[in-house]
Amino acid sequence: MKPLILVTNDDGITSKGIRTLVEVMQTIGEVIVVAPNSPQSGMGHAITIGEPLRLYSTHIFEGVVEYECSGTPADCVKLAKNYVLQDRKPDLVVSGINHGSNSSISVLYSGTMSAAIEAAIEGIPAIGFSLTDYREDADFDHAIPYIKSITEEALKNGIPNGIALNVNIPEKSDLPLKGVKVCRQAHAKWQEKFDYRVDPNGRGYLWMAGEFVNFDTEKEDTDVWALDNNYISVVPCQYDLTAYEAVKQLSTWDL
């Protein structure tokens, strides 16, 4: 019996990335798509609670049951599990392929990974796939064999309960990919700045900009190093944010 694979993303149901991911997953199992009807990048783990959710059947992909949703990526997973699939539980949730990197600290802001983590919360194995190419017409061809093999290995061996895999793939270049590295999230952050600008009507507004600052330079066990050196990075992520060492320290306080 073919595995049931739920596909979602944060770039919207019409993006090239999700089309590529659906095509790969169709070679592996039965595919159901529930994805946002518009781009949801940077939404993190937001959910819709103050307004209704809209869910419509679509006909974008061939041979697939599919729905577009007015909500966030996390909403899509919740709706798929509790409404669309009802008594059926997916064997795997895959999210992406995201147009742009979700390595290091970006995992906290990523709608792609939030969908995967939402699945992990529900006890469903999950993988988020991202390509370090932000273009709408990004070339995913070099990533396809790796996406397929990582997915097949996850189905074969299982993913630990409560864990989602954050898979980032270097953009296509003249050099072949060197392989896959299982690694940790790099210690890094975005150093933001806000540009003050004026619109054509003379009204001021702010535009967020900034640069990525990596504090783990030259450390070969991080996802950023792997990507910089043309490896695919695989980072196991968990939704338990407890800082266990800090629990020990805080327990000594006179509270």
Side-chain angles (χ1 to χ4, degrees):
M1 188 174 181
K2 285 187 173 182
L4 177 61
I5 302 173
L6 171 64
V7 179
T8 189
N9 76 339
D10 77 352
D11 288 316
I13 196 167
T14 59
S15 73
K16 184 178 179 181
I18 195 171
R19 181 179 296 278
T20 303
L21 191 58
V22 167
E23 291 172 356
V24 175
M25 294 304 126
Q26 282 181 299
T27 68
I28 298 172
E30 177 189 353
V31 175
I32 292 181
V33 176
V34 181
N37 61 8
S38 61
Q40 298 285 324
S41 295
M43 289 299 290
H45 213 104
I47 56 173
T48 302
I49 56 175
E51 57 187 59
L53 286 167
R54 312 288 181 185
L55 187 70
Y56 301 103
S57 177
T58 57
H59 305 282
I60 298 169
F61 312 103
E62 228 178 280
V64 172
V65 176
E66 58 192 83
Y67 298 88
E68 64 176 40
C69 171
S70 63
T72 67
D75 287 330
C76 290
V77 175
K78 288 179 178 291
L79 277 172
K81 178 183 181 293
N82 298 297
Y83 181 78
V84 175
L85 294 171
Q86 297 184 1
D87 296 332
R88 300 184 71 193
K89 183 177 180 181
D91 295 290
L92 183 69
V93 172
V94 292
S95 182
I97 307 166
N98 190 65
H99 292 246
S101 174
N102 277 316
S103 63
S104 186
I105 196 65
S106 295
V107 70
L108 290 180
Y109 308 111
S110 166
T112 299
M113 277 307 297
S114 290
I117 290 171
E118 180 62 34
I121 292 170
E122 296 286 355
I124 305 168
I127 309 172
F129 290 104
S130 302
L131 184 78
T132 63
D133 188 336
Y134 291 86
R135 296 175 301 168
E136 288 186 10
D137 64 344
D139 190 340
F140 296 94
D141 288 350
H142 67 300
I144 288 174
Y146 291 96
I147 290 170
K148 185 174 182 180
S149 64
I150 290 169
T151 301
E152 290 174 336
E153 284 297 303
L155 287 166
K156 176 184 174 183
N157 298 302
I159 297 172
N161 190 44
I163 299 297
L165 303 184
N166 183 18
V167 178
N168 283 274
I169 304 161
E171 65 180 301
K172 192 168 186 177
S173 70
D174 294 334
L175 300 173
L177 293 172
K178 293 180 181 177
V180 180
K181 277 192 176 291
V182 177
C183 43
R184 66 176 175 87
Q185 174 183 321
H187 176 211
K189 63 170 288 188
W190 287 97
Q191 187 65 55
E192 287 91 358
K193 66 176 183 177
F194 290 86
D195 293 337
Y196 180 82
R197 304 177 184 180
V198 179
D199 69 20
N201 295 316
R203 296 173 299 189
Y205 67 96
L206 293 164
W207 191 273
M208 188 171 71
E211 61 177 348
F212 182 73
V213 181
N214 181 16
F215 303 108
D216 271 338
T217 54
E218 304 304 320
K219 293 189 177 179
E220 299 184 9
D221 61 340
T222 72
D223 52 2
V224 172
W225 185 93
L227 293 167
D228 286 345
N229 287 273
N230 213 30
Y231 287 96
I232 294 170
S233 67
V234 178
V235 177
C237 299
Q238 61 186 16
Y239 54 84
D240 180 357
L241 300 180
T242 306
Y244 289 97
E245 287 301 314
V247 169
K248 296 176 185 177
Q249 179 186 348
L250 268 63
S251 295
T252 66
W253 290 12
D254 187 15
L255 299 175

